[in-house]
Amino acid sequence: MICKLCHSEAELQNSHVISEFQYKPLYDAKHRFHVISINPEQKEHFEQKGFREKLLCLPCETKLSRWEAYAKK
């Protein structure tokens, strides 16, 4: 598959669509958030991690995680 950042062909990681630290205000006491869809066929449910997709190769995921740590501070 093709990495969405560097456009190289590689095995893609299960990357956060939005940085994990940005979900913090949404989490309840059990570290989960309520997912509500506009699609009537999809039930409401809880997630314990932010939304993820196969987006980035491992080197890009690693590079981006360093930038996310900097942004979190």
Side-chain angles (χ1 to χ4, degrees), residues 2-6 11-16 53-58 60-61 64:
I2 305 296
C3 175
K4 304 299 189 256
L5 186 60
C6 70
E11 181 179 345
L12 300 183
Q13 305 300 303
N14 205 13
S15 308
H16 285 107
E53 288 185 20
K54 298 282 186 182
L55 293 174
L56 305 174
C57 63
L58 186 57
C60 286
E61 181 75 32
L64 194 61

Side-chain angles (χ1 to χ4, degrees), residues 7-43:
H7 304 285
S8 65
E9 188 168 331
E11 181 179 345
L12 300 183
Q13 305 300 303
N14 205 13
S15 308
H16 285 107
V17 175
I18 299 172
S19 297
E20 175 68 20
F21 75 89
Q22 293 177 312
Y23 285 92
K24 189 174 182 177
L26 302 176
Y27 288 136
D28 64 10
K30 296 180 182 178
H31 195 74
R32 60 188 187 163
F33 64 98
H34 195 182
V35 178
I36 302 169
S37 174
I38 61 170
N39 180 352
E41 295 176 11
Q42 187 176 7
K43 296 179 5 177

